[in-house]
Amino acid sequence: MYTLGEFIIENRDRFLYSTEELLRLFSSIKLAAKAINKEVNKAGLTEKIIGSSGITNIQGENQQKLDDFAHRVFIESFKSRNVVCGIASEESKDFIVIVEKGEKENPKYIVLIDPLDGSSNIDVNVSIGTIFSVYIRRTPIPMDLTIEDFLQKGNKQILAGYIIYGSSTILVYTTGNGVHGFTLDPSIGTFYLSHPNLRFPEIERIYSINEGNYAKFPNGIKKFIKYCQEKKENRPYTARYIGSLVGDFHRNMIQGGIYIYPKTEHSPEGKLRLLYECNPMAFLTEQAGGKASDGKKRILDIKPLNLHQRTPFICGPVRMVSKLEEFMDR
Ligand code: AHG
Ligand code: MN
Ligand code: MN
């Protein structure tokens, strides 16, 4: 049974960049994931972790203690490995420079991260996750990083993935050579290959959307929901919605389903963040044989204009997403 490290070394010829650097990136990610996993598992036991931190984050959302903890753990973990030069996080207004100018070694990787996804589920024992994404800096070394290093199109990602802290803890990633999942054996702290070559199945089974917002959805989305519920061909689909993108995505990729977070009357850009949530999930979606769209365009081709930009987000099996796009056109 391969460990994550062994799998990366075994597949070194398929990665375009340095395998040694990829291993160091994963060394940071694994360490932070294990630290968060440990806290998540005792969330119900300690006041330190459950509940709100009393702070409103840059998204205007109530920050949970675990959001802040996860953010700090990831920053520290990347700092200590000298492989990342800058990080942008959902929990921080501006990007964070990890290696200052003049330092001897100048790493070239940029990380974008949603340290804790699904925060509203922390206190109620439902799956949550971390979403990460890696790019190569645009500004040449040793110049200072600029915002343009972070505002790259999703199609420039060299690595993306998530960790789901669920009934087991699983790390799923892609470097552009398929999607692979590794399950944490908590007794020895090692991630083992458990889900090689994940792909959306042929079968269309599930639709995932917060239907409580139905009245505020655009007409195309309302019509698509009715289409999902129609008794015809392989429908109705079953409805499943956790409220943690990571959890909803993971289930849909394994069981065959579409995830939808559309714009609404009050949020014309939708809710999910292009850089921290949609781009990494779109990269994974395409690598798993699916399609990711804002309802009209490919997510990975959107030019980001600011760090915390939001976008409507739809991902899943190609046929289901294309069908939804047809309804958006009408
Ligand atoms: P986060 O916890 O990082 O702010 O993300 C929450 C997101 C996403 O995970 C989830 O799919 C969505 O918000 C749920 O939103 P609604 O509660 O509006 O359905
Ligand atoms: Mn999130
Ligand atoms: Mn978050």
Side-chain angles (χ1 to χ4, degrees), residues 61-122:
E61 293 156 355
N62 182 3
Q63 189 188 57
Q64 301 293 303
K65 289 176 191 164
L66 203 56
D67 282 320
D68 178 51
F69 175 81
H71 168 80
R72 285 185 288 112
V73 166
F74 268 100
I75 305 288
E76 283 314 311
S77 188
F78 281 120
K79 263 188 185 162
S80 60
R81 298 265 176 322
N82 197 38
V83 64
V84 169
C85 54
I87 302 182
S89 160
E90 186 190 88
E91 299 301 334
S92 165
K93 180 167 168 285
D94 300 312
F95 64 82
I96 299 161
V97 177
I98 299 289
V99 175
E100 301 290 349
K101 203 160 124 185
E103 286 192 28
K104 272 197 280 335
E105 284 181 69
N106 262 304
K108 59 174 177 292
Y109 296 102
I110 299 280
V111 170
L112 302 182
I113 193 156
D114 176 359
L116 213 292
D117 174 68
S119 337
S120 65
N121 284 322
I122 297 168

Side-chain angles (χ1 to χ4, degrees), residues 90 114 116-118 131 245 272-273 277:
E90 186 190 88
D114 176 359
L116 213 292
D117 174 68
I131 308 173
L245 171 62
L272 299 181
R273 281 120 310 198
E277 294 169 318

Side-chain angles (χ1 to χ4, degrees), residues 26-226:
F26 268 118
S27 150
S28 304
I29 294 167
K30 286 186 296 187
L31 181 65
K34 284 185 258 183
I36 294 164
N37 184 58
K38 187 162 158 270
E39 290 306 316
V40 168
N41 285 336
K42 57 181 191 191
L45 297 176
T46 157
E47 283 296 313
K48 211 176 90 203
I49 285 305
I50 54 170
S52 159
S53 65
I55 294 168
T56 303
N57 72 6
I58 176 68
Q59 320 288 340
E61 293 156 355
N62 182 3
Q63 189 188 57
Q64 301 293 303
K65 289 176 191 164
L66 203 56
D67 282 320
D68 178 51
F69 175 81
H71 168 80
R72 285 185 288 112
V73 166
F74 268 100
I75 305 288
E76 283 314 311
S77 188
F78 281 120
K79 263 188 185 162
S80 60
R81 298 265 176 322
N82 197 38
V83 64
V84 169
C85 54
I87 302 182
S89 160
E90 186 190 88
E91 299 301 334
S92 165
K93 180 167 168 285
D94 300 312
F95 64 82
I96 299 161
V97 177
I98 299 289
V99 175
E100 301 290 349
K101 203 160 124 185
E103 286 192 28
K104 272 197 280 335
E105 284 181 69
N106 262 304
K108 59 174 177 292
Y109 296 102
I110 299 280
V111 170
L112 302 182
I113 193 156
D114 176 359
L116 213 292
D117 174 68
S119 337
S120 65
N121 284 322
I122 297 168
D123 294 358
V124 290
N125 233 326
V126 173
S127 294
I128 51 183
T130 294
I131 308 173
F132 58 88
S133 159
V134 179
Y135 296 77
I136 293 180
R137 60 182 291 169
R138 315 297 302 167
T139 44
I141 295 169
M143 280 170 69
D144 284 345
L145 290 174
T146 74
I147 188 80
E148 289 309 320
D149 291 308
F150 297 86
L151 299 181
Q152 300 188 47
K153 288 185 185 174
N155 59 29
K156 297 279 188 241
Q157 290 172 98
I158 60 139
L159 164 67
Y162 58 81
I163 299 129
I164 176 165
Y165 312 99
S167 48
S168 60
T169 296
I170 300 184
L171 186 157
V172 173
Y173 83 91
T174 185
T175 54
N177 281 300
V179 177
H180 312 287
F182 299 79
T183 303
L184 176 67
D185 177 340
S187 63
I188 50 173
T190 303
F191 284 93
Y192 286 104
L193 180 64
S194 51
H195 298 74
N197 289 312
L198 279 162
R199 294 190 68 81
F200 284 96
E202 287 295 313
I203 184 161
E204 297 162 359
R205 201 193 302 256
I206 296 166
Y207 73 106
S208 309
I209 184 167
N210 185 343
E211 235 172 301
N213 294 328
Y214 186 86
K216 299 187 259 171
F217 289 152
N219 280 335
I221 299 289
K222 288 182 178 165
K223 286 186 197 143
F224 182 74
I225 292 174
K226 289 298 156 216

